[in-house]
Structure formats: C-alpha cells, structure tokens
PDB file of all heavy atoms in Angstrom:
ATOM      1  N   LEU I   1    -129.206-112.383  66.707  1.00 87.00           N
ATOM      2  CA  LEU I   1    -129.528-111.284  65.813  1.00 87.00           C
ATOM      3  C   LEU I   1    -130.233-111.757  64.546  1.00 87.00           C
ATOM      4  O   LEU I   1    -131.048-111.014  63.979  1.00 87.00           O
ATOM      5  CB  LEU I   1    -128.257-110.502  65.465  1.00 87.00           C
ATOM      6  CG  LEU I   1    -128.422-109.193  64.711  1.00 87.00           C
ATOM      7  CD1 LEU I   1    -129.279-108.225  65.527  1.00 87.00           C
ATOM      8  CD2 LEU I   1    -127.081-108.555  64.403  1.00 87.00           C
ATOM      9  N   GLY I   2    -129.884-112.944  64.064  1.00 79.00           N
ATOM     10  CA  GLY I   2    -130.499-113.427  62.835  1.00 79.00           C
ATOM     11  C   GLY I   2    -131.860-114.057  63.020  1.00 79.00           C
ATOM     12  O   GLY I   2    -132.509-114.430  62.038  1.00 79.00           O
ATOM     13  N   ARG I   3    -132.335-114.199  64.244  1.00 81.00           N
ATOM     14  CA  ARG I   3    -133.654-114.811  64.484  1.00 81.00           C
ATOM     15  C   ARG I   3    -134.781-113.817  64.268  1.00 81.00           C
ATOM     16  O   ARG I   3    -134.671-112.637  64.561  1.00 81.00           O
ATOM     17  CB  ARG I   3    -133.709-115.348  65.904  1.00 81.00           C
ATOM     18  CG  ARG I   3    -132.736-116.479  66.177  1.00 81.00           C
ATOM     19  CD  ARG I   3    -132.956-117.095  67.522  1.00 81.00           C
ATOM     20  NE  ARG I   3    -132.033-118.182  67.788  1.00 81.00           N
ATOM     21  CZ  ARG I   3    -132.019-118.905  68.894  1.00 81.00           C
ATOM     22  NH1 ARG I   3    -132.924-118.637  69.866  1.00 81.00           N
ATOM     23  NH2 ARG I   3    -131.138-119.898  69.049  1.00 81.00           N
ATOM     24  N   GLU I   4    -135.877-114.332  63.771  1.00 79.00           N
ATOM     25  CA  GLU I   4    -137.022-113.473  63.467  1.00 79.00           C
ATOM     26  C   GLU I   4    -137.667-112.986  64.787  1.00 79.00           C
ATOM     27  O   GLU I   4    -137.910-113.752  65.690  1.00 79.00           O
ATOM     28  CB  GLU I   4    -138.042-114.260  62.628  1.00 79.00           C
ATOM     29  CG  GLU I   4    -139.234-113.447  62.195  1.00 79.00           C
ATOM     30  CD  GLU I   4    -140.204-114.248  61.352  1.00 79.00           C
ATOM     31  OE1 GLU I   4    -139.890-115.430  61.082  1.00 79.00           O
ATOM     32  OE2 GLU I   4    -141.243-113.708  60.976  1.00 79.00           O
ATOM     33  N   GLY I   5    -137.935-111.713  64.827  1.00 78.00           N
ATOM     34  CA  GLY I   5    -138.582-111.119  65.988  1.00 78.00           C
ATOM     35  C   GLY I   5    -137.641-110.746  67.108  1.00 78.00           C
ATOM     36  O   GLY I   5    -138.113-110.251  68.150  1.00 78.00           O
ATOM     37  N   TYR I   6    -136.318-110.885  66.925  1.00 80.00           N
ATOM     38  CA  TYR I   6    -135.388-110.521  67.962  1.00 80.00           C
ATOM     39  C   TYR I   6    -135.257-108.999  68.072  1.00 80.00           C
ATOM     40  O   TYR I   6    -135.075-108.345  67.038  1.00 80.00           O
ATOM     41  CB  TYR I   6    -134.011-111.157  67.727  1.00 80.00           C
ATOM     42  CG  TYR I   6    -132.942-110.682  68.687  1.00 80.00           C
ATOM     43  CD1 TYR I   6    -132.968-111.054  70.036  1.00 80.00           C
ATOM     44  CD2 TYR I   6    -131.943-109.802  68.262  1.00 80.00           C
ATOM     45  CE1 TYR I   6    -132.003-110.623  70.917  1.00 80.00           C
ATOM     46  CE2 TYR I   6    -130.959-109.372  69.138  1.00 80.00           C
ATOM     47  CZ  TYR I   6    -131.023-109.779  70.465  1.00 80.00           C
ATOM     48  OH  TYR I   6    -130.043-109.307  71.331  1.00 80.00           O
ATOM     49  N   ASP I   7    -135.347-108.463  69.250  1.00 80.00           N
ATOM     50  CA  ASP I   7    -135.269-107.027  69.480  1.00 80.00           C
ATOM     51  C   ASP I   7    -134.089-106.749  70.381  1.00 80.00           C
ATOM     52  O   ASP I   7    -134.144-107.057  71.587  1.00 80.00           O
ATOM     53  CB  ASP I   7    -136.569-106.505  70.132  1.00 80.00           C
ATOM     54  CG  ASP I   7    -136.535-104.992  70.320  1.00 80.00           C
ATOM     55  OD1 ASP I   7    -135.624-104.348  69.728  1.00 80.00           O
ATOM     56  OD2 ASP I   7    -137.399-104.477  71.021  1.00 80.00           O
ATOM     57  N   PRO I   8    -133.000-106.175  69.855  1.00 81.00           N
ATOM     58  CA  PRO I   8    -131.833-105.942  70.716  1.00 81.00           C
ATOM     59  C   PRO I   8    -132.065-104.842  71.748  1.00 81.00           C
ATOM     60  O   PRO I   8    -131.225-104.658  72.640  1.00 81.00           O
ATOM     61  CB  PRO I   8    -130.737-105.539  69.721  1.00 81.00           C
ATOM     62  CG  PRO I   8    -131.487-104.989  68.536  1.00 81.00           C
ATOM     63  CD  PRO I   8    -132.759-105.801  68.469  1.00 81.00           C
ATOM     64  N   HIS I   9    -133.148-104.115  71.641  1.00 76.00           N
ATOM     65  CA  HIS I   9    -133.421-103.037  72.621  1.00 76.00           C
ATOM     66  C   HIS I   9    -134.142-103.545  73.848  1.00 76.00           C
ATOM     67  O   HIS I   9    -134.508-102.714  74.720  1.00 76.00           O
ATOM     68  CB  HIS I   9    -134.224-101.921  71.928  1.00 76.00           C
ATOM     69  CG  HIS I   9    -133.524-101.275  70.795  1.00 76.00           C
ATOM     70  ND1 HIS I   9    -132.602-100.271  70.956  1.00 76.00           N
ATOM     71  CD2 HIS I   9    -133.589-101.510  69.449  1.00 76.00           C
ATOM     72  CE1 HIS I   9    -132.149 -99.900  69.756  1.00 76.00           C
ATOM     73  NE2 HIS I   9    -132.716-100.637  68.839  1.00 76.00           N
ATOM     74  N   ALA I  10    -134.412-104.849  73.935  1.00 64.00           N
ATOM     75  CA  ALA I  10    -135.213-105.380  75.032  1.00 64.00           C
ATOM     76  C   ALA I  10    -134.372-105.901  76.174  1.00 64.00           C
ATOM     77  O   ALA I  10    -134.908-106.329  77.174  1.00 64.00           O
ATOM     78  CB  ALA I  10    -136.143-106.494  74.522  1.00 64.00           C
ATOM     79  N   ASN I  11    -133.046-105.965  76.042  1.00 69.00           N
ATOM     80  CA  ASN I  11    -132.202-106.479  77.122  1.00 69.00           C
ATOM     81  C   ASN I  11    -130.968-105.610  77.275  1.00 69.00           C
ATOM     82  O   ASN I  11    -131.009-104.425  76.937  1.00 69.00           O
ATOM     83  CB  ASN I  11    -131.825-107.950  76.851  1.00 69.00           C
ATOM     84  CG  ASN I  11    -131.292-108.146  75.438  1.00 69.00           C
ATOM     85  OD1 ASN I  11    -130.712-107.227  74.865  1.00 69.00           O
ATOM     86  ND2 ASN I  11    -131.506-109.323  74.853  1.00 69.00           N
ATOM     87  N   CYS I  12    -129.881-106.198  77.732  1.00 80.00           N
ATOM     88  CA  CYS I  12    -128.673-105.396  77.981  1.00 80.00           C
ATOM     89  C   CYS I  12    -128.051-104.838  76.687  1.00 80.00           C
ATOM     90  O   CYS I  12    -127.208-103.963  76.749  1.00 80.00           O
ATOM     91  CB  CYS I  12    -127.651-106.227  78.749  1.00 80.00           C
ATOM     92  SG  CYS I  12    -126.653-107.302  77.718  1.00 80.00           S
ATOM     93  N   MET I  13    -128.466-105.380  75.526  1.00 88.00           N
ATOM     94  CA  MET I  13    -127.938-104.844  74.270  1.00 88.00           C
ATOM     95  C   MET I  13    -128.288-103.384  74.088  1.00 88.00           C
ATOM     96  O   MET I  13    -127.585-102.661  73.375  1.00 88.00           O
ATOM     97  CB  MET I  13    -128.425-105.690  73.090  1.00 88.00           C
ATOM     98  CG  MET I  13    -127.949-107.115  73.092  1.00 88.00           C
ATOM     99  SD  MET I  13    -126.154-107.298  73.253  1.00 88.00           S
ATOM    100  CE  MET I  13    -125.552-106.264  71.952  1.00 88.00           C
ATOM    101  N   LYS I  14    -129.394-102.942  74.684  1.00 88.00           N
ATOM    102  CA  LYS I  14    -129.744-101.546  74.606  1.00 88.00           C
ATOM    103  C   LYS I  14    -128.667-100.679  75.240  1.00 88.00           C
ATOM    104  O   LYS I  14    -128.386 -99.573  74.769  1.00 88.00           O
ATOM    105  CB  LYS I  14    -131.107-101.318  75.296  1.00 88.00           C
ATOM    106  CG  LYS I  14    -131.576 -99.881  75.289  1.00 88.00           C
ATOM    107  CD  LYS I  14    -132.912 -99.752  75.977  1.00 88.00           C
ATOM    108  CE  LYS I  14    -133.388 -98.305  75.961  1.00 88.00           C
ATOM    109  NZ  LYS I  14    -134.719 -98.163  76.650  1.00 88.00           N
ATOM    110  N   THR I  15    -128.055-101.172  76.319  1.00 90.00           N
ATOM    111  CA  THR I  15    -126.957-100.454  76.961  1.00 90.00           C
ATOM    112  C   THR I  15    -125.686-100.506  76.123  1.00 90.00           C
ATOM    113  O   THR I  15    -124.909 -99.552  76.095  1.00 90.00           O
ATOM    114  CB  THR I  15    -126.696-101.039  78.345  1.00 90.00           C
ATOM    115  OG1 THR I  15    -127.894-101.019  79.098  1.00 90.00           O
ATOM    116  CG2 THR I  15    -125.628-100.264  79.103  1.00 90.00           C
ATOM    117  N   ALA I  16    -125.474-101.636  75.414  1.00 91.00           N
ATOM    118  CA  ALA I  16    -124.201-101.828  74.688  1.00 91.00           C
ATOM    119  C   ALA I  16    -124.169-101.155  73.331  1.00 91.00           C
ATOM    120  O   ALA I  16    -123.087-100.771  72.860  1.00 91.00           O
ATOM    121  CB  ALA I  16    -123.933-103.333  74.548  1.00 91.00           C
ATOM    122  N   LEU I  17    -125.313-101.001  72.685  1.00 92.00           N
ATOM    123  CA  LEU I  17    -125.333-100.509  71.288  1.00 92.00           C
ATOM    124  C   LEU I  17    -124.637 -99.160  71.069  1.00 92.00           C
ATOM    125  O   LEU I  17    -123.940 -99.010  70.048  1.00 92.00           O
ATOM    126  CB  LEU I  17    -126.783-100.425  70.797  1.00 92.00           C
ATOM    127  CG  LEU I  17    -127.465-101.774  70.462  1.00 92.00           C
ATOM    128  CD1 LEU I  17    -128.908-101.573  70.098  1.00 92.00           C
ATOM    129  CD2 LEU I  17    -126.710-102.472  69.313  1.00 92.00           C
ATOM    130  N   PRO I  18    -124.759 -98.174  71.933  1.00 92.00           N
ATOM    131  CA  PRO I  18    -124.054 -96.909  71.679  1.00 92.00           C
ATOM    132  C   PRO I  18    -122.533 -97.019  71.598  1.00 92.00           C
ATOM    133  O   PRO I  18    -121.890 -96.113  71.022  1.00 92.00           O
ATOM    134  CB  PRO I  18    -124.497 -96.013  72.844  1.00 92.00           C
ATOM    135  CG  PRO I  18    -125.760 -96.610  73.334  1.00 92.00           C
ATOM    136  CD  PRO I  18    -125.591 -98.073  73.138  1.00 92.00           C
ATOM    137  N   TYR I  19    -121.936 -98.072  72.138  1.00 93.00           N
ATOM    138  CA  TYR I  19    -120.485 -98.189  72.180  1.00 93.00           C
ATOM    139  C   TYR I  19    -119.937 -99.121  71.119  1.00 93.00           C
ATOM    140  O   TYR I  19    -118.711 -99.308  71.041  1.00 93.00           O
ATOM    141  CB  TYR I  19    -120.040 -98.691  73.548  1.00 93.00           C
ATOM    142  CG  TYR I  19    -120.484 -97.821  74.685  1.00 93.00           C
ATOM    143  CD1 TYR I  19    -121.530 -98.192  75.500  1.00 93.00           C
ATOM    144  CD2 TYR I  19    -119.834 -96.630  74.950  1.00 93.00           C
ATOM    145  CE1 TYR I  19    -121.939 -97.396  76.583  1.00 93.00           C
ATOM    146  CE2 TYR I  19    -120.237 -95.824  76.001  1.00 93.00           C
ATOM    147  CZ  TYR I  19    -121.289 -96.192  76.801  1.00 93.00           C
ATOM    148  OH  TYR I  19    -121.697 -95.409  77.843  1.00 93.00           O
ATOM    149  N   LEU I  20    -120.771 -99.707  70.279  1.00 93.00           N
ATOM    150  CA  LEU I  20    -120.350-100.722  69.340  1.00 93.00           C
ATOM    151  C   LEU I  20    -120.026-100.119  67.984  1.00 93.00           C
ATOM    152  O   LEU I  20    -120.813 -99.307  67.454  1.00 93.00           O
ATOM    153  CB  LEU I  20    -121.423-101.822  69.186  1.00 93.00           C
ATOM    154  CG  LEU I  20    -121.875-102.528  70.456  1.00 93.00           C
ATOM    155  CD1 LEU I  20    -122.897-103.594  70.136  1.00 93.00           C
ATOM    156  CD2 LEU I  20    -120.661-103.105  71.193  1.00 93.00           C
ATOM    157  N   ASP I  21    -118.879-100.488  67.411  1.00 92.00           N
ATOM    158  CA  ASP I  21    -118.530-100.095  66.052  1.00 92.00           C
ATOM    159  C   ASP I  21    -119.154-101.032  65.026  1.00 92.00           C
ATOM    160  O   ASP I  21    -119.344-100.636  63.872  1.00 92.00           O
ATOM    161  CB  ASP I  21    -117.019-100.110  65.885  1.00 92.00           C
ATOM    162  CG  ASP I  21    -116.336 -99.084  66.780  1.00 92.00           C
ATOM    163  OD1 ASP I  21    -116.417 -97.870  66.474  1.00 92.00           O
ATOM    164  OD2 ASP I  21    -115.764 -99.485  67.812  1.00 92.00           O
ATOM    165  N   ARG I  22    -119.454-102.233  65.452  1.00 92.00           N
ATOM    166  CA  ARG I  22    -120.166-103.192  64.582  1.00 92.00           C
ATOM    167  C   ARG I  22    -120.945-104.173  65.437  1.00 92.00           C
ATOM    168  O   ARG I  22    -120.397-104.758  66.394  1.00 92.00           O
ATOM    169  CB  ARG I  22    -119.180-103.927  63.662  1.00 92.00           C
ATOM    170  CG  ARG I  22    -119.833-105.007  62.802  1.00 92.00           C
ATOM    171  CD  ARG I  22    -118.963-105.404  61.622  1.00 92.00           C
ATOM    172  NE  ARG I  22    -118.772-104.277  60.716  1.00 92.00           N
ATOM    173  CZ  ARG I  22    -118.037-104.346  59.615  1.00 92.00           C
ATOM    174  NH1 ARG I  22    -117.404-105.474  59.312  1.00 92.00           N
ATOM    175  NH2 ARG I  22    -117.910-103.284  58.813  1.00 92.00           N
ATOM    176  N   PHE I  23    -122.188-104.339  65.086  1.00 92.00           N
ATOM    177  CA  PHE I  23    -123.094-105.262  65.780  1.00 92.00           C
ATOM    178  C   PHE I  23    -123.668-106.241  64.735  1.00 92.00           C
ATOM    179  O   PHE I  23    -124.434-105.844  63.853  1.00 92.00           O
ATOM    180  CB  PHE I  23    -124.235-104.529  66.474  1.00 92.00           C
ATOM    181  CG  PHE I  23    -125.208-105.393  67.227  1.00 92.00           C
ATOM    182  CD1 PHE I  23    -124.778-106.354  68.090  1.00 92.00           C
ATOM    183  CD2 PHE I  23    -126.567-105.234  67.032  1.00 92.00           C
ATOM    184  CE1 PHE I  23    -125.638-107.162  68.778  1.00 92.00           C
ATOM    185  CE2 PHE I  23    -127.462-106.017  67.732  1.00 92.00           C
ATOM    186  CZ  PHE I  23    -127.007-107.012  68.600  1.00 92.00           C
ATOM    187  N   CYS I  24    -123.234-107.498  64.823  1.00 91.00           N
ATOM    188  CA  CYS I  24    -123.582-108.461  63.772  1.00 91.00           C
ATOM    189  C   CYS I  24    -123.630-109.849  64.354  1.00 91.00           C
ATOM    190  O   CYS I  24    -123.421-110.069  65.556  1.00 91.00           O
ATOM    191  CB  CYS I  24    -122.574-108.371  62.612  1.00 91.00           C
ATOM    192  SG  CYS I  24    -120.871-108.678  63.099  1.00 91.00           S
ATOM    193  N   THR I  25    -123.850-110.807  63.478  1.00 89.00           N
ATOM    194  CA  THR I  25    -123.805-112.221  63.847  1.00 89.00           C
ATOM    195  C   THR I  25    -122.960-112.946  62.841  1.00 89.00           C
ATOM    196  O   THR I  25    -122.743-112.481  61.699  1.00 89.00           O
ATOM    197  CB  THR I  25    -125.207-112.826  63.885  1.00 89.00           C
ATOM    198  OG1 THR I  25    -125.147-114.178  64.333  1.00 89.00           O
ATOM    199  CG2 THR I  25    -125.876-112.787  62.524  1.00 89.00           C
ATOM    200  N   ALA I  26    -122.422-114.112  63.207  1.00 87.00           N
ATOM    201  CA  ALA I  26    -121.573-114.933  62.315  1.00 87.00           C
ATOM    202  C   ALA I  26    -121.771-116.382  62.689  1.00 87.00           C
ATOM    203  O   ALA I  26    -121.597-116.765  63.845  1.00 87.00           O
ATOM    204  CB  ALA I  26    -120.132-114.522  62.432  1.00 87.00           C
ATOM    205  N   HIS I  27    -122.153-117.201  61.672  1.00 87.00           N
ATOM    206  CA  HIS I  27    -122.371-118.616  61.888  1.00 87.00           C
ATOM    207  C   HIS I  27    -121.479-119.467  60.984  1.00 87.00           C
ATOM    208  O   HIS I  27    -121.270-120.644  61.263  1.00 87.00           O
ATOM    209  CB  HIS I  27    -123.839-118.969  61.651  1.00 87.00           C
ATOM    210  CG  HIS I  27    -124.773-118.331  62.629  1.00 87.00           C
ATOM    211  ND1 HIS I  27    -125.033-118.893  63.894  1.00 87.00           N
ATOM    212  CD2 HIS I  27    -125.498-117.190  62.559  1.00 87.00           C
ATOM    213  CE1 HIS I  27    -125.892-118.114  64.518  1.00 87.00           C
ATOM    214  NE2 HIS I  27    -126.203-117.067  63.777  1.00 87.00           N
ATOM    215  N   THR I  28    -121.009-118.915  59.890  1.00 88.00           N
ATOM    216  CA  THR I  28    -120.215-119.662  58.912  1.00 88.00           C
ATOM    217  C   THR I  28    -118.828-119.047  58.825  1.00 88.00           C
ATOM    218  O   THR I  28    -118.625-117.873  59.221  1.00 88.00           O
ATOM    219  CB  THR I  28    -120.863-119.635  57.538  1.00 88.00           C
ATOM    220  OG1 THR I  28    -120.922-118.291  57.054  1.00 88.00           O
ATOM    221  CG2 THR I  28    -122.289-120.212  57.613  1.00 88.00           C
TER     222      THR I  28
END
C-alpha cells in the first residue's frame, strides 16, 4: 500500500475492500 503507483482495485483487494474496517500498512 505504501508503494508509489500501487492500485488496490487491480487485484483481489477490489473484492476485499467493501468488508474492511481498516485498510493500511505497517512496517515499524
């Protein structure tokens, strides 16, 4: 999610997004 140009609507994340209460990334 933190990478430039990443589109979550281009893969299975498009199916998952309506059910998510939070969609984020964590590295630290």
Side-chain angles (χ1 to χ4, degrees):
L1 188 60
R3 295 187 180 181
E4 184 178 358
Y6 173 71
D7 183 13
H9 298 277
N11 49 29
C12 82
M13 295 308 307
K14 180 179 179 180
T15 305
L17 284 176
Y19 302 104
L20 303 183
D21 296 285
R22 176 162 295 179
F23 180 49
C24 59
T25 184
H27 296 276
T28 63

